[in-house]
Amino acid sequence: MTEKIEPESNTKNQYQNRELSWLQFNARVLQEAADESVPLIERLRFIGIFSNNLDEFFKVRYATLKRIVEAGKGGRSFLGGISAKELMEEITKTVIDQQKNSLRILRQINHKLKEENIFIIDETQVTESQSEFISDYFIRKVSPAMVTIMIGELEAFPSLKDSAAYLAVKMVMKKEDETFITKYNYALIEIPRSIERFVVLPKEGDKQFIIILDDLIRYCLDNLFSIFNYKSITAHMIKITRDAELDIDSDLSKSFIDKISKSVKNRSVGDPVRFVYDKKIEDSTLKFLLHKMGIDKTDSLIPGGRYHNRRDYMSFPSMGRPDLQYEPKNPVPIAGLSLKGSLLDKIAEKDYLLHAPYQTFSYVIKFLREAALDPNVKTIKITIYRLAQVSHIASSLINAVKNGKQVTVQIELQARFDEEANIFYAEQMQSEGVQLIFGVSGLKVHCKTCLIERLENKKIKRYALVSTGNFNESTARIYTDYTLFTSNQKICKEINKVFDFFEVNYKVKKYEHLIVSPHYTRNAIYHLIHNEIENKKRGLPNGIKLKLNSLSDFKMIDKLYEASRAGVSIKLIVRGICCLIPGVKGMSENIEAISIVGKFLEHPRLFIFENAGDPKVYISSADFMGRNLDNRVEITCPLYDADIRQQILEMFEIGWSDNVKARVITSAHDNAYRSNDKIKVRSQLAMYDYYLNKLQSKELVEN
């Protein structure tokens, strides 16, 4: 059933606001924590993901809104018809409600843990036998790592670290104490990040016990402050979130690495944008802290629970209970592509497509390691956006240089929240002789591609990877992404043009196969959509199927609305932000949209256009956001291999059939699960089974 709106509807009801849509996505993450069919420890980890997402949201999106307000601007034109100030108030209200819900869910999970003989205790529940262990643990591990600041007597309040958790301690001094002038004294304890947040205590029979580090410190407050003569002491958690925008130094004498490195360090003292506190903290303590920190009404004040930095639940200990976690499924090989022997020889014969994490990311490592050793490989070029902490990708590239290859790495030093890791690897690779390129002025390089040039029969032949995700073996275990392995010389030649653009970026290249941002993607997608509109008018097969992380560009949304009004059927699978409102009569009645949130993070971008019965199929690094279309270097790559195209079409249909983890995106924004009478399909499990069956069928044929 569709909702009717008047044709003259204004901007506000044509689009969902981007920030509020993102909060709806995070609400879907929280739904996974609430879902009793999700294993118990995994539910706790979803609480951690929800909290981590929220931290990043305030560092980036909320901070941007705050800058708009402080600049005296309204922002209605690009915020979907709402002013920045109104939006900040709406965000704060929504986040407070979500935080309340997350605490309720956490209490439910803790109750369920008790039923499984796992007890998370606080400082008031410590037994005599546990007391000895905790005191020893505190002295040996915690106390040496702690930073404790006596703030009651300080003239200047210390700068609190971004997103670090602190215990705000209040001591009520005894009359006979002459150490302090005032009746009350205050201290801040920074919760050490170098120590696991969840301390597993010795088992007692079948019962397992955990104490959160915050409560372990609370239990040891008397030990910590024993030199003071107080009659009572309390400790409540606080956390501050700071603006994460990088302010890059314009000093021409500094290298780009030095500028980014300095800017990342300065981020820790950026303007505060959110202050979260234990709602049970005394009013006098809260007022003291707010006054000292200079936090005012334009900052988001969020009353929370006893514990902050719940992102640490992402690393909640397994407790030796595999039954309370997702059943591990080993990634399967790609049918017909062995990790033994030469990958390049196999790719020379045909294209292959890797779908991580269902299939093993080891193929990407093998591709680079083989190139590093092969005496006929002369050059390796690669774009890097986010690397794993321990990166086999980086070590393979360094290995290649040591073997005499010319290695060029385009590394994005401004990949948000991964700048430090990228700086570390950039310096390491540079010192080993890797040629580094630091992007294009004014553009982030977000495409994921690798190009190898190999001497064969006295001629150069190229091999390439094009991916929807990062060359990162850690995230490849939890993010779903596609990587194309190809020796199609037409595509490889155009990938080489992209690398040429990095080095000589005043020349705009022309492409016949790849669709490249920032120069071509917007118009190319417009043209593909328009082609479906024309096919509809001619009575030819038509339709659009898109899988995206985010859909927020208003002009692109308008083009999809135009296609809908022309009668083109549009199916959208959008994981996160979706500013398009589906199912509205006269505007989007032919558009359906779902979002899938489950065990893995849905990350690939797929574009499928029916094209009069001969589908055009693409994988891409670009979402339909202004930044991806106009302000980044992105690659959208056509899939020419018939088997691979068919695989993508089948994968999309599996995702579209999901009626277990799919939520329907509507104007109600209620994250309702898709419900129907069809056979239950949980798409992420079904995709794994798809590849397993494909592999087994291949083996049967060969045997």
Side-chain angles (χ1 to χ4, degrees):
M1 187 173 179
T2 57
E3 175 188 350
K4 185 176 181 180
I5 65 166
E6 297 302 322
E8 64 271 14
S9 59
N10 58 35
T11 301
K12 193 167 185 177
N13 54 26
Q14 287 182 31
Y15 315 108
Q16 161 75 325
N17 173 265
R18 169 180 161 160
E19 279 67 36
L20 297 179
S21 179
W22 185 93
L23 289 174
Q24 286 303 310
F25 156 67
N26 211 29
R28 295 193 283 276
V29 173
L30 196 55
Q31 283 179 322
E32 289 299 292
D35 187 345
E36 294 191 3
S37 70
V38 174
L40 201 52
I41 288 177
E42 303 292 352
R43 291 174 65 186
L44 278 175
R45 291 169 182 165
F46 274 111
I47 289 281
I49 296 168
F50 165 81
S51 183
N52 186 65
N53 287 348
L54 207 52
D55 282 349
E56 293 190 3
F57 173 81
F58 272 90
K59 290 178 187 180
V60 181
R61 297 306 308 164
Y62 191 90
T64 299
L65 294 172
K66 185 181 177 187
R67 287 196 298 273
I68 292 170
V69 172
E70 289 176 346
K73 297 178 180 178
R76 289 181 185 273
S77 60
F78 55 87
L79 292 175
I82 185 172
S83 74
K85 185 176 181 181
E86 291 169 334
L87 184 53
M88 288 173 71
E89 292 170 356
E90 183 68 23
I91 287 170
T92 300
K93 178 179 177 296
T94 301
V95 169
I96 289 173
D97 289 342
Q98 289 185 352
Q99 291 281 39
K100 287 178 182 176
N101 192 26
S102 72
L103 292 173
R104 178 186 59 80
I105 294 167
L106 193 53
R107 286 194 295 270
Q108 292 174 348
I109 296 172
N110 285 334
H111 179 73
K112 292 285 186 182
L113 285 171
K114 290 176 184 177
E115 294 177 2
E116 296 291 340
N117 270 342
I118 298 173
F119 299 87
I120 302 176
I121 64 170
D122 63 28
E123 75 279 9
T124 67
Q125 299 167 301
V126 174
T127 64
E128 191 172 335
S129 59
Q130 292 166 342
S131 177
E132 185 178 346
F133 175 90
I134 288 171
S135 297
D136 178 65
Y137 188 91
F138 179 79
I139 292 168
R140 285 188 302 105
K141 290 195 172 184
V142 182
S143 184
M146 274 176 35
V147 173
T148 305
I149 308 167
M150 304 304 299
I151 58 175
E153 302 290 307
L154 293 179
E155 289 186 16
F157 195 83
S159 178
L160 303 190
K161 294 179 182 177
D162 173 54
S163 291
Y166 293 86
L167 285 174
V169 177
K170 177 183 178 181
M171 289 178 277
V172 180
M173 312 308 294
K174 290 183 178 178
K175 287 183 179 179
E176 56 268 27
D177 184 273
E178 297 179 356
T179 312
F180 300 102
I181 299 170
T182 59
K183 179 182 177 183
Y184 305 112
N185 192 37
Y186 298 95
L188 283 178
I189 301 172
E190 183 180 343
I191 305 296
R193 298 188 188 189
S194 58
I195 300 172
E196 291 294 332
R197 187 80 179 277
F198 302 96
V199 181
V200 180
L201 302 176
K203 287 182 72 173
E204 295 182 7
D206 293 332
K207 295 181 178 180
Q208 295 176 287
F209 297 90
I210 294 171
I211 188 167
I212 298 176
L213 183 59
D214 322 9
D215 290 332
L216 187 147
I217 294 171
R218 284 185 173 102
Y219 185 77
C220 298
L221 285 178
D222 284 340
N223 179 308
L224 183 62
F225 294 104
S226 60
I227 63 171
F228 301 120
N229 192 13
Y230 54 82
K231 58 182 179 182
S232 68
I233 185 168
T234 54
H236 295 85
M237 187 71 72
I238 63 168
K239 179 176 76 171
I240 197 165
T241 304
R242 296 185 181 278
D243 188 339
E245 185 68 21
L246 294 182
D247 184 14
I248 300 173
D249 196 333
S250 59
D251 188 345
L252 297 177
S253 68
K254 294 180 181 178
S255 73
F256 192 61
I257 291 180
D258 288 341
K259 291 178 184 179
I260 297 295
S261 182
K262 179 183 177 183
S263 187
V264 170
K265 288 176 183 175
N266 288 343
R267 174 186 280 164
S268 63
V269 292
D271 290 340
V273 292
R274 177 179 61 155
F275 181 73
V276 185
Y277 59 91
D278 184 342
K279 62 186 176 185
K280 293 186 178 179
I281 195 170
E282 293 97 330
D283 287 343
S284 58
T285 307
L286 181 60
K287 288 176 182 177
F288 172 83
L289 293 169
L290 294 177
H291 173 71
K292 286 286 188 179
M293 287 188 283
I295 293 177
D296 57 36
K297 61 183 179 181
T298 62
D299 303 299
S300 190
L301 304 179
I302 309 290
R306 180 179 171 89
Y307 310 101
H308 305 323
N309 275 8
R310 290 199 299 277
R311 63 169 182 250
D312 293 335
Y313 278 104
M314 289 193 293
S315 302
F316 191 84
S318 298
M319 305 302 292
R321 295 291 302 271
D323 57 313
L324 301 182
Q325 300 169 79
Y326 284 126
E327 178 187 354
K329 289 184 179 290
N330 294 323
V332 301
I334 298 172
L337 188 62
S338 173
L339 283 166
K340 297 177 181 178
S342 170
L343 278 189
L344 296 182
D345 287 349
K346 296 290 287 185
I347 297 166
E349 297 171 4
K350 73 180 296 293
D351 290 356
Y352 290 91
L353 190 71
L354 162 68
H355 192 182
Y358 311 111
Q359 296 169 312
T360 176
F361 188 75
S362 299
Y363 288 102
V364 175
I365 306 298
K366 166 74 173 172
F367 182 86
L368 284 170
R369 290 212 181 280
E370 181 178 337
L373 298 179
D374 188 336
N376 293 319
V377 171
K378 302 304 177 184
T379 66
I380 301 174
K381 302 176 184 180
I382 191 170
T383 61
I384 288 175
Y385 195 72
R386 300 186 195 277
L387 288 171
Q389 281 193 334
V390 178
S391 175
H392 298 300
I393 299 291
S395 63
S396 297
L397 296 170
I398 290 169
N399 190 22
V401 170
K402 291 182 183 295
N403 283 321
K405 320 297 181 191
Q406 182 181 339
V407 179
T408 302
V409 175
Q410 153 55 50
I411 187 163
E412 182 51 70
L413 294 185
Q414 296 182 70
R416 194 165 326 252
F417 306 121
D418 280 278
E419 298 97 343
E420 290 184 70
N422 285 6
I423 289 167
F424 168 79
Y425 277 114
E427 290 175 336
Q428 187 181 41
M429 287 189 287
Q430 195 171 52
S431 69
E432 295 286 355
V434 173
Q435 180 186 344
L436 296 184
I437 304 173
F438 299 118
V440 180
S441 180
L443 302 173
K444 272 191 180 181
V445 177
H446 189 249
C447 60
K448 286 85 176 180
T449 189
C450 176
L451 185 71
I452 287 171
E453 294 181 322
R454 189 176 189 236
L455 190 63
E456 299 179 10
N457 300 319
K458 297 182 180 180
K459 292 183 178 180
I460 289 293
K461 182 171 182 177
R462 296 186 175 109
Y463 298 79
L465 304 180
V466 184
S467 187
T468 65
N470 301 303
F471 297 129
N472 183 318
E473 49 268 50
S474 296
T475 57
R477 291 193 287 268
I478 53 176
Y479 286 25
T480 66
D481 270 305
Y482 289 106
T483 301
L484 176 69
F485 294 75
T486 185
S487 64
N488 182 309
Q489 293 305 289
K490 292 177 180 177
I491 288 177
C492 290
K493 182 181 179 180
E494 294 196 349
I495 291 171
N496 195 51
K497 284 186 179 182
V498 175
F499 282 99
D500 288 344
F501 173 69
F502 294 148
E503 299 197 57
V504 185
N505 43 67
Y506 57 83
K507 289 185 179 179
V508 177
K509 307 292 183 179
K510 292 185 178 180
Y511 306 89
E512 293 182 17
H513 304 277
L514 300 181
I515 301 173
V516 180
S517 290
H519 303 111
Y520 300 108
T521 304
R522 182 181 290 281
N523 286 337
I525 300 297
Y526 285 171
H527 177 77
L528 288 163
I529 295 172
H530 184 72
N531 187 54
E532 297 307 310
I533 294 172
E534 290 301 307
N535 286 337
K536 177 66 179 178
K537 290 177 180 177
R538 296 188 186 106
L540 298 174
N542 61 88
I544 299 169
K545 298 172 183 176
L546 304 174
K547 184 167 186 175
L548 300 161
N549 293 329
S550 297
L551 172 54
S552 65
D553 185 82
F554 291 163
K555 291 181 181 178
M556 191 63 73
I557 291 170
D558 287 343
K559 195 67 182 174
L560 292 170
Y561 285 162
E562 180 187 342
S564 173
R565 286 193 295 269
V568 177
S569 171
I570 301 171
K571 295 179 179 178
L572 305 175
I573 303 176
V574 185
R575 185 198 77 215
I577 298 166
C578 184
C579 296
L580 180 149
I581 303 174
V584 179
K585 189 169 181 60
M587 182 177 79
S588 58
E589 59 198 286
N590 291 303
I591 303 177
E592 297 176 86
I594 62 171
S595 176
I596 298 169
V597 177
K599 176 181 180 180
F600 302 123
L601 183 82
E602 296 285 331
H603 196 252
R605 293 88 166 179
L606 302 176
F607 310 155
I608 302 169
F609 299 89
E610 183 59 30
N611 191 41
D614 182 20
K616 290 187 175 183
V617 181
Y618 302 85
I619 60 172
S620 182
S621 61
D623 284 305
F624 285 180
M625 305 178 76
R627 68 188 188 190
N628 302 100
L629 300 170
D630 304 322
N631 299 306
R632 290 186 173 187
V633 180
E634 308 273 12
I635 291 176
T636 298
C637 181
L639 300 177
Y640 291 144
D641 182 277
D643 291 339
I644 290 176
R645 277 206 313 273
Q646 184 60 33
Q647 176 185 324
I648 289 292
L649 293 172
E650 291 172 2
M651 283 293 102
F652 187 91
E653 289 308 313
I654 290 174
W656 190 254
S657 300
D658 195 310
N659 53 7
V660 176
K661 290 296 179 182
R663 284 73 156 179
V664 183
I665 298 174
T666 67
S667 59
H669 314 306
D670 56 1
N671 284 331
Y673 285 88
R674 173 189 269 172
S675 178
N676 54 41
D677 297 330
K678 297 179 181 178
I679 295 172
K680 291 297 180 185
V681 176
R682 184 168 176 176
S683 59
Q684 292 184 347
L685 297 183
M687 287 180 184
Y688 180 83
D689 291 342
Y690 172 93
Y691 290 113
L692 197 59
N693 292 335
K694 204 175 184 70
L695 184 67
Q696 291 168 348
S697 298
K698 180 79 174 175
E699 291 171 349
L700 278 174
V701 170
E702 290 176 350
N703 293 332

